[in-house]
Amino acid sequence: MLKPNQKSESSKKNQVERMFDSISFEYDLLNGIMTFNNHKRWKKNILNIAKKLKPKNALDIATGTADIAINLGSIPDCTVTGVDISEKMLNVGREKITKMKLSESVSLETGDAENLKYENDYFDLITIGFGVRNFQDLKKGLTESLRILKPEGSLIILETSVPENRIIKFLYSIFTRTYIPIMASIFSKDRSAYNYLLDSAEAFPCGEAFGKILKSVGFNKVEINPKFFGSSTIYIATK
Ligand SMILES: C[S@@+](CC[C@H](N)C(=O)[O-])C[C@H]1O[C@@H](n2cnc3c(N)ncnc32)[C@H](O)[C@@H]1O
């Protein structure tokens, strides 16, 4: 079974790709059920931050079914690219882009966050929603984002986090360990995928700890904005 801290390069990346391929069909539905649709609000928060930056060339890494890329597509004169290692997640995103007639401003490509094909200093904005905790090598993925970001460009990351308040943390862990497996068993063929998603959310560094990692790879300024009692966090890092 896939483990959050698995180190073997090919196996973790391949397993993550296969896992998201296997849940691509139900991913949007379960994302809505598991976050009570809060994920949409957080993704709108990203859009509002992004709009102020007036990007012209944006990249959404680990774009999955492309919610964030599609949101960014509403920014005037902004070209958006989404990349992901799961072709099936991208296919769901491509259908949404076609239906919404956004193909001129938003395009999706297969790509690995840890080894991207783009030139140095290429994008003025990069976003990553619920993606970084799946990277095989977190620092490699963040360093790659830094490389392709223009000087003074911004990286906006949305990721699950663990509430700091001990009582909320306790209630949150009871909730995630009961509600999410029940929902996964009803709506998904692949329960183990949701066990991995829960384990990886608990194991992943968050808040100041993740902020320090962003600074350690070379980002200058890092803002940390916890959402919904700290169950998710938006990080804004500047090159
Ligand atoms: C939880 S989904 C998030 C999808 C979308 N960004 C969202 O917010 O709903 C995580 C995505 O990260 C992708 N992913 C994991 N590791 C990746 C990597 N190294 N490079 C690119 N995408 C990756 C997975 O294929 C999956 O689509």
Side-chain angles (χ1 to χ4, degrees), residues 83 93 155 206-207 217 226:
V83 291
L155 167 66
C206 59
V217 300

Side-chain angles (χ1 to χ4, degrees), residues 16 20 27 31 43 62-64 84-86 89 111-113 129-130 134:
V16 165
F20 281 102
Y27 176 80
N31 212 3
K43 288 168 182 171
T63 193
D84 201 286
I85 51 170
S86 163
M89 291 285 276
D112 175 3
F130 302 119
N134 299 299

